[in-house]
């Protein structure tokens, strides 16, 4: 039996214990198990918000756009390096998870012309299924739902049985939001590629919680939020991942001035920026993107490896 003394000994030997003081904990008696919905406030994020508002906005005014304009990619590279297993220039922060899912799913469908099916599991997160349903209805395509295990989530057997040569896009969540089941990203991506489909992963429930290796798994596209385990704050912007080899040929459907090649030329026609920049649409929320950066830097110092080790120790 595990005793209180055992727990106290583990606390005393915990390499992450010092990070507790870096978060705002107003009620010491509250045991908070809802970080999967909204992560706690890091003091670093609070300080960064105050800096952006009082100094960069209050004093710098429009001149601050000289460094603000690159912030979505700067923070994207931070997430890529420490949490996503991606390369520089493959992740951008901006818009919501739902909007990013729509943009990348639409672009993925255009990259597989002639194929008529979008495939996801019946227990995938509701907004993902709704976005895919809307896209299929608008384009006259079929949304095919395959049954996944209510606890274990989608696996190779269930996905493999649903795949066919008419599938254009497979969209899956890395972690099942009801059970916490962790999908084998590499195996499921390989199966979809063998059928000729692209794969779009939603990593909202895994980023900042478990190690992710988008590059090594062969993932084509991914989206995720920052207000859960990344502690970016309520409604903080999501991120988009596009594998570098796919970027030249992909065209997302919402053409905005932040995705324009020479945006300040104010040209008469849309000319998409090269590389990942075209996934951006409108002016990013600088205050919230800066908060994501400060929060992610705290977690980067802790390290996703030690965080996962502690998670497994606690749940075991």
């Amino acid at each position: 039996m595990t005793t209180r003394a055992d727990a106290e000994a583990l606390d005393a030997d915990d390499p992450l214990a010092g990070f507790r003081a870096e978060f705002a904990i107003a009620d010491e008696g509250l045991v908070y198990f809802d970080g999967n919905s909204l992560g706690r406030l890091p003091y670093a994020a609070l300080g960064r918000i105050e800096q952006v508002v009082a100094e960069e906005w209050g004093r710098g005014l429009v001149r601050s756009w000289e460094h603000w304009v690159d912030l979505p990619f700067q923070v994207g590279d931070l997430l890529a390096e420490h949490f996503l297993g991606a390369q520089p220039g493959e992740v951008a922060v901006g818009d919501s998870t739902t909007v990013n899912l729509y943009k990348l799913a639409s672009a993925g469908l255009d990259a597989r012309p002639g194929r008529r099916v979008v495939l996801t599991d019946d227990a995938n997160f509701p907004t993902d299924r709704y976005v895919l349903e809307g896209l299929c209805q608008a384009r006259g395509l079929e949304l095919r739902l395959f049954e996944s295990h209510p606890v274990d989530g989608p696996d190779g057997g269930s996905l493999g049985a649903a795949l066919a040569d008419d599938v254009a896009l497979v969209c899956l969540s890395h972690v099942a939001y009801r059970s916490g089941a962790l999908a084998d990203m590499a195996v499921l991506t390989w199966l979809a590629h063998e059928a000729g489909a692209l794969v779009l992963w939603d990593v909202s429930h895994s980023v900042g919680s478990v190690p992710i290796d988008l590059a090594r798994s062969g993932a084509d596209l991914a989206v995720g939020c920052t207000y859960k385990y990344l502690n970016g704050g309520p409604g903080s912007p999501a991120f988009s991942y596009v594998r570098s080899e796919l970027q030249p040929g992909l065209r997302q459907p919402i053409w905005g001035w932040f995705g324009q090649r020479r945006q300040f030329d104010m040209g008469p026609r849309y000319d998409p920026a090269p590389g990942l920049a075209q996934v951006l649409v409108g002016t990013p929320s600088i205050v919230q993107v800066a908060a994501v950066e400060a929060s992610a830097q705290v977690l980067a110092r802790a390290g996703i490896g030690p965080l996962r080790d502690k998670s497994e120790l606690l749940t075991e």
Side-chain angles (χ1 to χ4, degrees), residues 11-255:
D11 281 346
D13 195 39
D14 180 7
L16 299 176
F19 284 93
R20 190 174 191 275
E22 300 196 29
F23 290 82
I25 301 176
D27 182 356
E28 290 285 348
L30 176 67
V31 181
Y32 190 61
F33 285 118
D34 217 4
N36 62 296
S37 182
L38 178 64
R40 283 195 182 273
L41 168 65
Y43 287 120
L46 182 59
R48 183 73 178 100
I49 290 170
E50 291 173 343
Q51 178 188 26
V52 171
V53 172
E55 296 297 323
E56 298 178 21
W57 175 17
R59 294 180 183 274
L61 294 171
V62 75
R63 293 166 294 191
S64 292
W65 274 109
E66 291 181 10
H67 61 269
W68 284 345
V69 73
D70 294 323
L71 198 59
F73 306 105
Q74 178 180 315
V75 182
D77 286 348
L78 174 67
L79 300 183
E81 178 183 359
H82 293 283
F83 305 104
L84 295 171
Q87 300 300 313
E90 291 186 329
V91 179
V93 176
D95 295 318
S96 69
T97 307
T98 304
V99 171
N100 289 338
L101 189 84
Y102 173 83
K103 291 188 294 186
L104 295 192
S106 181
L109 289 172
D110 288 342
R112 288 293 184 270
R115 292 183 171 231
R116 308 291 301 168
V117 174
V118 177
L119 186 62
T120 191
D121 64 290
D122 56 359
N124 200 357
F125 195 75
T127 198
D128 297 41
R129 289 184 279 108
Y130 301 159
V131 167
L132 299 175
E133 182 182 6
L135 270 172
C136 288
Q137 184 180 66
R139 290 169 173 248
L141 304 178
E142 175 192 350
L143 176 60
R144 185 178 298 165
L145 302 179
F146 68 92
E147 185 177 355
S148 62
H149 193 277
V151 175
D152 297 334
D155 59 16
S158 58
L159 175 62
L163 283 165
D165 60 8
D166 57 353
V167 176
L169 181 72
V170 177
C171 183
L172 300 169
S173 287
H174 191 205
V175 164
Y177 77 100
R178 285 193 176 97
S179 69
L182 180 64
D184 190 329
M185 182 180 286
V187 167
L188 299 184
T189 299
W190 179 83
L191 284 170
H193 286 172
E194 284 293 291
L198 292 176
V199 188
L200 169 55
W201 284 96
D202 185 341
V203 297
S204 294
H205 288 89
S206 56
V207 62
S209 176
V210 298
I212 301 171
D213 199 334
L214 293 172
R216 191 167 295 179
S217 72
D220 302 302
L221 309 162
V223 297
C225 73
T226 62
Y227 48 77
K228 300 178 188 295
Y229 303 113
L230 292 178
N231 307 307
S236 58
F239 57 85
S240 300
Y241 162 83
V242 181
R243 186 158 48 88
S244 57
E245 303 95 287
L246 290 176
Q247 291 177 14
L250 230 60
R251 288 291 176 268
Q252 64 94 356
I254 307 176
W255 294 0

